[in-house]
Amino acid sequence: MIRLFDYYRSSASYRVRIALNLKGLDYERVPVNLLNNDQKSDEYRASNPQGLVPMLEIDGAQLTQSLSIVNYLNGVYPDPPLAPSDPVAAAHVRSMAQVVASDIHPLNNLRVLGYVSDVLGHDKDTRARWYAHWVHEGFEALEQLAIRHGGAYLSGDLPGLADLCLVPQMFNARRFDIPLDDYPTLVAYDAKANALDAFQAAHPDRFD
């Protein structure tokens, strides 16, 4: 049994749900409500000391950090691949994924936004400007990388690592009313990925 501990609107959890679906793997979802601080409970931290989502229980292991989980799934279940076989093309896919997973998302996740407002005392408008700044900075670069290195999907001939990072970030951008007119390539890749069953089944609207 594969068990995914996740929060339905967590971008990192959303990525892993997509990856599991792309690999055709059945799993049991274990909700962890971040708004109720379930992730900070002693019971959860005993398994995941960082107190974050997602966490995947698989093959007798408890795996954390979304891209680490995705890389594990891609290694153990290689078909369909989540990155091209060509080393250079694969490096470009990983780079595009990291723009989202390392540069945009960590600065805009729930705990960081909470710190900006609750601890540093910034108002709602300042928090919104903070969020928008990092999204635009990341998307401006990612748009150009997508033009240069994208294929049928952002990850190449098949949907993969870059797509499963892009789609949750686009969902969040829309949720926070970030204009996307300047990123037509990203919008097109997001729409194409979201037309696939694996992405639709992972969408936050399917859960609560």
Side-chain angles (χ1 to χ4, degrees):
M1 172 63 70
I2 301 174
R3 303 176 76 207
L4 176 64
F5 294 76
D6 87 337
Y7 179 61
Y8 74 113
R9 282 200 309 217
S10 156
S11 293
S13 298
Y14 192 173
R15 294 170 200 150
V16 174
R17 292 197 302 267
I18 295 169
L20 288 164
N21 293 343
L22 285 171
K23 295 295 184 180
L25 298 172
D26 293 328
Y27 65 95
E28 175 189 352
R29 180 173 170 268
V30 182
V32 179
N33 192 325
L34 302 186
L35 299 182
N36 292 339
N37 290 320
D38 291 355
Q39 75 280 11
K40 296 181 181 180
S41 70
D42 291 341
E43 180 181 5
Y44 187 71
R45 282 185 179 270
S47 299
N48 183 356
Q50 200 173 14
L52 301 175
V53 293
M55 179 175 71
L56 190 72
E57 288 187 350
I58 185 171
D59 298 334
Q62 294 173 319
L63 307 180
T64 61
Q65 291 292 339
S66 63
L67 294 195
S68 179
I69 293 170
V70 171
N71 286 336
Y72 175 85
L73 294 173
N74 201 42
V76 175
Y77 305 96
D79 294 318
L82 299 180
S85 57
D86 176 77
V88 173
H92 287 314
V93 168
R94 288 193 293 270
S95 294
M96 290 187 286
Q98 291 286 3
V99 170
V100 173
S102 297
D103 297 333
I104 301 175
H105 176 245
L107 291 165
N108 283 339
N109 65 24
L110 182 62
R111 61 181 181 145
V112 169
L113 293 177
Y115 190 86
V116 167
S117 57
D118 300 340
V119 178
L120 298 182
H122 292 295
D123 59 23
K124 183 178 179 180
D125 288 343
T126 303
R127 173 172 149 159
R129 284 167 50 207
W130 166 279
Y131 185 94
H133 172 81
W134 299 114
V135 172
H136 285 304
E137 183 172 280
F139 276 1
E140 285 170 6
L142 189 57
E143 174 75 10
Q144 296 307 309
L145 292 171
I147 292 169
R148 295 178 190 180
H149 304 302
Y153 294 91
L154 186 56
S155 297
D157 293 337
L158 298 173
L161 180 63
D163 303 273
L164 63 83
C165 286
L166 173 67
V167 166
Q169 189 61 61
M170 294 288 278
F171 167 79
N172 279 345
R174 293 185 177 100
R175 190 161 69 92
F176 284 91
D177 298 320
I178 303 298
L180 299 173
D181 295 345
D182 291 338
Y183 318 115
T185 308
L186 299 183
V187 169
Y189 277 127
D190 174 66
K192 189 166 186 179
N194 272 311
L196 301 175
D197 290 344
F199 286 79
Q200 293 176 12
H203 196 282
D205 287 351
R206 296 289 185 95
F207 311 98
D208 54 30

